Amino acid sequence: MNTESQASILLVEDDASLAEWILNYLQGHNYLVHHIARGDQVAAYVQQHVPDLVILDVMLPYKNGFDVCRELRAFYPHPILMLTACGEEADEILGLELGANDYLAKPVRPRVLLARLKALLRREPQEPSVQGILRFGQLKILRDAKTVFYRDEVIGITAHEFDVLWLLANNAGKVIRREELVTQLRGIEYDGFDRSIDIRISRLRKKLHDNPEQPVRIKTVWAKGYLFSPEAWE
């Protein structure tokens, strides 16, 4: 981490006037500050730049602060300070449960913000759970956040699609029978007619840019099942 006066901070706030004064105030105290106004752009930025601290508003367009916090905590070890609406105790509790280190209620008071930042920046970073992360070339799968990155971009997939992908990727290079997928993911025995898993895999292939006619990333092994190819993600 940088020294306190040179620390890099990511400010995630969609209120333009609030973001401007926080930006100017912190820069006036020698912090390096980058501003993002949308929740869906945060994870990719943090992955690439790894700021020393994230100031994260709850109410954001495209992805709210709670979802962003959950996403970051799967791989980001540094402090997260959440900004909550004044008096919203439930927001504060949920933010802390999702991995935020502290919260600050609006309206934000400059000296309080500065004091909180200094206290957080003195803490040692927490190591994320590497057991919940799978990497294959430029593909990164975060189990706890149920999030997939490919070439530093978040791939939008459903929770059901993620469950299929995680199971296949966690057994990379091994053929997983359709019966096993149905049993593990749906909790029922395969009856020979259930095609829900096939539909999920078809959708995953499209989202992960795998040729549906000749897939190389999630392969179909005829009369056996599916195989996640670990070398096909460069």
Side-chain angles (χ1 to χ4, degrees):
M1 181 183 290
N2 295 319
T3 61
E4 182 183 302
S5 61
Q6 297 175 326
S8 61
I9 295 175
L10 173 62
L11 170 63
V12 188
E13 171 61 65
D14 66 322
D15 183 322
S17 59
L18 176 59
E20 183 178 8
W21 88 249
I22 291 178
L23 188 74
N24 292 335
Y25 180 75
L26 294 181
Q27 287 176 338
H29 285 79
N30 298 319
Y31 290 99
L32 305 174
V33 187
H34 180 80
H35 173 233
I36 291 177
R38 300 169 45 145
D40 61 334
Q41 297 176 344
V42 177
Y45 178 89
V46 172
Q47 280 261 315
Q48 182 176 358
H49 299 282
V50 194
D52 294 313
L53 183 144
V54 175
I55 301 174
L56 179 62
D57 187 26
V58 170
M59 300 301 294
L60 294 168
Y62 302 100
K63 182 177 289 187
N64 68 54
F66 297 131
D67 289 339
V68 174
C69 185
R70 182 186 295 109
E71 190 175 13
L72 293 182
R73 267 302 166 241
F75 65 89
Y76 178 67
H78 300 301
I80 297 174
L81 172 65
M82 296 200 77
L83 302 181
T84 67
C86 183
E88 293 294 335
E89 183 179 0
D91 286 357
E92 298 165 359
I93 294 172
L94 180 56
L96 294 172
E97 288 177 345
L98 292 173
N101 299 90
D102 201 354
Y103 63 86
L104 194 60
K106 296 180 180 180
V108 178
R109 292 174 292 170
R111 293 178 64 183
V112 175
L113 172 63
L114 189 61
R116 296 288 182 87
L117 292 182
K118 289 181 177 180
L120 289 173
L121 288 168
R122 286 194 291 266
R123 297 183 184 181
E124 292 295 323
Q126 300 173 351
E127 288 298 322
S129 174
V130 296
Q131 294 180 348
I133 301 176
L134 295 176
R135 293 184 177 88
F136 303 93
Q138 298 191 64
L139 179 73
K140 185 174 183 179
I141 309 172
L142 310 179
R143 181 189 60 198
D144 295 339
K146 287 187 178 293
T147 304
V148 179
F149 291 90
Y150 183 56
R151 294 178 177 171
D152 293 328
E153 292 187 2
V154 178
I155 304 299
I157 65 175
T158 68
H160 290 313
E161 291 164 356
F162 181 89
D163 292 340
V164 175
L165 180 62
W166 179 266
L167 182 55
L168 291 172
N170 205 33
N171 293 276
K174 174 184 175 183
V175 176
I176 304 297
R177 295 180 297 113
R178 183 183 286 106
E179 294 90 335
E180 183 177 349
L181 287 167
V182 171
T183 300
Q184 290 201 38
L185 297 175
R186 300 200 62 202
I188 60 176
E189 292 186 5
Y190 180 61
D191 60 6
F193 299 99
D194 191 323
R195 288 292 178 267
S196 61
I197 299 299
D198 303 315
I199 293 172
R200 295 183 200 178
I201 288 177
S202 176
R203 290 174 179 168
L204 276 172
R205 284 170 172 162
K206 291 179 182 178
K207 294 177 179 181
L208 295 171
H209 310 292
D210 200 5
N211 186 343
E213 302 299 324
Q214 293 182 318
V216 296
R217 291 175 170 171
I218 302 177
K219 298 179 180 179
T220 299
V221 180
W222 184 252
K224 291 186 178 181
Y226 294 101
L227 182 145
F228 180 94
S229 180
E231 69 277 357
W233 299 96
E234 296 302 324

